[in-house]
Amino acid sequence: MGGKATRVAFGEALLKVAAKNDRVVVINADLGKSTNTVKFVEKYPDRSFNVGVAEANMIGIGAGLALEGWIPFICTFAIFVAGRFETIRVSVAYNHANVKIVGTHAGIGIGEDGYSQMGLEDIALMRSLPNMSVIQPGDAIETERAVEYIVEHEGPVFLRLTRQKVEDVNPPDYRFEFGKGVIVDAARGEGRDLTIMATGGTVHNAREAARELRSQGLDVRAVNIHTLKPIDEELVLDSVQRSGRILTVEDHGLHGGLGGAVCEVVAERGEGVVRRIAVRDFGESGDPVALYKKFGLSIDNIVAEAKKLLKTK
Amino acid sequence: MPQVAADIQRLKKIAQELRVDVIRILTEAGSGHPGGSLSAVEIITALFFHKMRHRPDDPFWSDRDRFILSKGHCTAIYYATLAKAGYIPQEELFTFRKLGSRLQGHPYPGPPDRRVPGIEAATGSLGQGLSIAIGMALAGRLARKAHRVYPLLGDGECQAGQVWEAAMLAPKYRLDNLCAIVDQNRIQNDDFVERTLSLEPFRAKWEAFGWHVIQVNGHEISEVVQALEDVEGVKGKPSVIIAGTVKGKGVSFMENNPEWHGKAPTREEAERAVQEILAAPL
């Protein structure tokens, strides 16, 4: 895997936004090296706090700072965000506290550390909270633009990032639009046969799968859903109207993630079939590329699942 | 000293009136938590009507002292206090716990464009308020403000792990603008704290975590007032006032009885309670 990890892009973007906005503060829970906030801490020690291995306390402190007008980025692994769900529910969401919750190490893409460190349920949980927005960028440039947006956004946001490097999927002049899906390779493919929707670490593979299917004569387009909540309902409906079919691909558990969100829209407002590629069962240790293959997130498997879906009426 | 004595007498009178309000609004609501409201009356009275710098007519004044009701179920005394201080209309108290009310069963500050005056934070899931208070204390320091932050915790609440995450952290940042108060009424939802899960040695725990600790009789307003004065002289570390109290204080049939943690009195019980409160010498 080439490119840059979105957690690395986040660390760089954070420095840039902090230089412009002195309300930005960072709270770590002993994972600053992993979440890439170390440079921020070095540069802005007065605006940095490390609470130790105590995520619930970190969340509450973030809420307190936000209620006083600061813009705290509280940073840990996505799974440890999920683990403190009810603290986020009351201290952050119910308080309408302007806290930016950063969860790195999304999904099986983290590799060797195994299931206990893999964020696989976090989108489902964060999506369920009133007042919480959920963003998962698909590459470095999108991460940078998303962080710029998040600082200005009023209200709590969950930002989900990859440990592993991800290939660029957006052009250098990319503009981030909150709540709007992005058709990747926009000029090629109308999606008359199928739309593949992906998010985060799987966008690149979804794009490559769409290219492969197009090379076989099928009209397939790939869509990057960087904002999982609020999801781009119009784009989902447009996609299902074009072909009657959507294939979703995500490095997250099967329930309540991108696939779940798309199903909700199609079931309520559209007509068609949704097939979900997501992580079924527990993850496990291994090389990220091998894991993506085993759990069905590889280009080959996306192509195979797309073909199965195309056979349905 | 006569002036101080007069002020204590004024506070005792307010406390008595707040006790009556607690009984009345819980009876009207038909549900709620009398025990922990009645145990906290003197603590909250000393804060809102003596110690705290605040402006009920300018509730979002940025230099105000912050109060966080971490023991969030004790809204009856909280809302009664907010009404008496002038944050909310007295008649609004009778909307407490009813559909459409701003006065939710547990504190809710409301959405950003309709914040409820006097409510700093949502609480009610026990164990979260001290962390929020630390965030506010850090915020005050970042902004170079002199205001203080007063979270009020229950003793049963101190069984929650997050309380000790927060207790561990506050001394690291030398938060001498933070003064936690524990309403140690020794009863929690199911039973006595001691029989549920002992917190002892309670004072030693806070001291071991690096806090300045003062223990007072939480029903002696003069002692609470004195402790609140004393902690302002403590520099370089946070303070905690452990206030020994009686759950259900002031109503004999509620006192020290776990039954009265979370149920409202009937109208007949309420009348007896009010008569007893008003008959008690100040």
Side-chain angles (χ1 to χ4, degrees):
Chain A
M1 292 181 183
K4 188 184 275 186
T6 58
R7 63 172 170 151
V8 172
F10 160 71
E12 294 165 0
L14 192 60
L15 283 176
K16 290 182 190 168
V17 295
K20 289 185 200 154
N21 190 327
D22 60 11
R23 310 300 283 178
V24 172
V25 300
V26 166
I27 314 180
N28 285 305
D30 193 38
L31 287 172
K33 283 190 273 191
S34 307
T35 61
N36 279 270
T37 56
V38 171
K39 284 186 181 139
F40 180 98
V41 174
E42 281 170 9
K43 190 152 187 204
Y44 303 104
D46 295 345
R47 286 198 260 157
S48 305
F49 307 99
N50 194 332
V51 304
V53 187
E55 291 85 5
N57 192 34
M58 172 171 71
I59 291 158
I61 292 170
L65 281 157
L67 289 169
E68 296 291 336
W70 298 87
I71 306 172
F73 281 74
I74 64 173
C75 307
T76 184
F77 290 0
I79 184 53
F80 304 140
V81 170
R84 308 302 176 273
F85 174 72
E86 195 267 349
T87 309
I88 295 170
R89 177 177 180 268
V90 175
S91 287
V92 176
Y94 196 40
N95 265 322
H96 305 261
N98 190 24
V99 179
K100 315 307 176 185
I101 303 170
V102 180
T104 67
H105 292 57
I108 58 172
I110 71 161
E112 290 77 0
D113 272 349
Y115 178 72
S116 74
Q117 315 299 298
M118 292 170 170
L120 287 168
E121 301 81 12
D122 47 288
I123 297 174
L125 288 164
M126 292 304 110
R127 227 166 50 79
S128 73
L129 291 173
N131 198 28
M132 180 70 69
S133 301
V134 180
I135 295 175
Q136 176 169 234
D139 68 5
I141 186 80
E142 190 166 78
T143 304
E144 186 175 336
R145 296 288 101 84
V147 171
E148 289 164 359
Y149 170 77
I150 286 168
V151 171
E152 303 299 325
H153 177 96
E154 280 292 327
V157 176
F158 173 51
L159 178 68
R160 187 178 198 254
L161 302 169
T162 66
R163 174 186 183 276
Q164 78 276 19
K165 291 177 178 174
V166 291
E167 301 282 357
D168 291 345
V169 290
N170 293 297
D173 62 348
Y174 175 74
R175 289 182 56 203
F176 177 85
E177 264 193 275
F178 177 67
K180 291 282 173 202
V182 179
I183 301 162
V184 292
D185 284 346
R188 312 173 209 168
E190 297 281 319
R192 299 290 166 201
D193 290 317
L194 176 67
T195 295
I196 304 175
M197 293 191 154
T199 182
T202 60
V203 175
H204 171 257
N205 283 3
R207 180 185 70 175
E208 295 307 306
R211 285 178 177 174
E212 171 60 27
L213 290 159
R214 285 199 298 272
S215 76
Q216 297 178 20
L218 294 160
D219 184 357
V220 178
R221 68 178 184 178
V223 165
N224 167 18
I225 300 289
H226 52 67
T227 306
L228 290 143
K229 188 184 169 201
I231 195 165
D232 187 344
E233 294 202 15
E234 297 317 309
L235 186 53
V236 171
L237 291 171
D238 171 76
S239 298
V240 82
Q241 272 162 15
R242 283 164 187 256
S243 65
R245 302 177 182 91
I246 297 175
L247 178 64
T248 64
V249 189
E250 62 193 311
D251 188 355
H252 180 270
L254 185 64
H255 305 282
L258 170 66
V262 169
C263 284
E264 288 163 14
V265 177
V266 172
E268 260 187 4
R269 296 183 59 197
E271 207 172 308
V273 181
V274 180
R275 191 177 187 95
R276 296 169 296 162
I277 302 179
V279 179
R280 291 165 194 255
D281 207 348
F282 299 109
E284 63 183 80
S285 292
D287 166 71
V289 175
L291 281 165
Y292 264 41
K293 187 171 167 60
K294 173 163 180 172
F295 284 87
L297 306 179
S298 65
I299 298 165
D300 288 350
N301 190 61
I302 297 168
V303 169
E305 291 292 328
K307 286 184 174 170
K308 280 188 217 163
L309 180 54
L310 284 165
K311 284 182 190 148
T312 61
K313 291 270 166 102
Chain B
M1 292 303 285
Q3 210 174 352
V4 175
D7 199 45
I8 296 296
Q9 206 56 24
R10 175 183 69 92
L11 295 174
K12 284 182 174 176
K13 181 84 178 118
I14 291 171
Q16 183 186 52
E17 291 164 4
L18 286 174
R19 274 206 167 81
V20 171
D21 290 345
V22 164
I23 297 299
R24 295 229 156 106
I25 66 179
L26 284 168
T27 308
E28 179 64 27
S31 65
H33 299 80
S37 279
L38 293 170
S39 64
V41 168
E42 281 78 13
I43 298 165
I44 291 181
T45 299
L47 282 168
F48 276 82
F49 300 98
H50 174 77
K51 186 66 217 163
M52 280 169 43
R53 285 161 301 177
H54 61 134
R55 299 173 177 168
D57 57 351
D58 183 13
F60 306 106
W61 175 46
S62 66
D63 290 323
R64 70 192 183 279
D65 290 335
R66 272 67 165 168
F67 173 79
I68 308 287
L69 185 72
S70 192
K71 44 177 274 175
H73 50 290
C74 300
T75 36
I77 180 61
Y78 190 20
Y79 298 152
T81 301
L82 293 182
K84 189 173 277 299
Y87 283 99
I88 56 174
Q90 280 285 344
E91 57 272 20
E92 190 173 356
L93 290 175
F94 295 98
T95 68
F96 174 44
R97 288 179 162 260
K98 294 187 176 145
L99 193 63
S101 176
R102 298 192 295 176
L103 308 182
Q104 292 290 295
H106 292 74
Y108 172 51
D113 57 338
R114 278 170 287 135
R115 288 293 197 192
V116 185
I119 300 181
E120 301 283 358
T123 54
S125 174
L126 294 175
Q128 299 187 18
L130 187 55
S131 301
I132 294 172
I134 290 174
M136 290 183 169
L138 289 170
R141 175 181 294 177
L142 280 168
R144 297 191 171 79
K145 297 271 192 187
H147 65 252
R148 301 176 65 78
V149 185
Y150 296 102
L152 176 62
L153 288 73
D155 53 349
E157 179 181 11
C158 292
Q159 291 159 350
Q162 190 182 337
V163 170
W164 299 101
E165 291 185 2
M168 229 183 300
L169 187 80
K172 169 182 170 177
Y173 290 106
R174 302 165 58 87
L175 293 174
D176 50 23
N177 56 351
L178 175 68
C179 176
I181 301 159
V182 180
D183 176 3
Q184 190 179 34
N185 63 32
R186 301 191 182 275
I187 291 175
Q188 57 193 105
N189 188 68
D190 280 1
D191 201 345
F192 289 87
V193 173
E194 200 56 31
R195 288 212 295 241
T196 305
L197 177 62
S198 177
L199 292 157
E200 296 303 333
F202 194 54
R203 178 190 183 116
K205 280 192 173 85
W206 287 96
E207 284 173 340
F209 277 67
W211 291 62
H212 179 78
V213 184
I214 299 179
Q215 281 185 283
V216 299
N217 176 340
H219 298 306
E220 272 306 329
I221 283 195
S222 58
E223 282 190 38
V224 179
V225 163
Q226 190 60 50
L228 290 167
E229 300 293 343
D230 289 349
V231 296
E232 289 203 309
V234 177
K235 298 297 170 198
K237 55 160 76 172
S239 294
V240 57
I241 298 170
I242 301 173
T245 60
V246 174
K247 195 141 180 169
K249 175 73 177 177
V251 180
S252 56
F253 59 90
M254 292 183 180
E255 283 188 5
N256 258 318
N257 183 352
E259 286 295 305
W260 288 95
H261 168 86
K263 72 166 180 181
T266 63
R267 296 207 175 266
E268 183 272 326
E269 287 166 334
E271 278 322 301
R272 275 163 54 208
V274 168
Q275 280 171 22
E276 208 180 303
I277 292 164
L278 292 174
L282 288 183

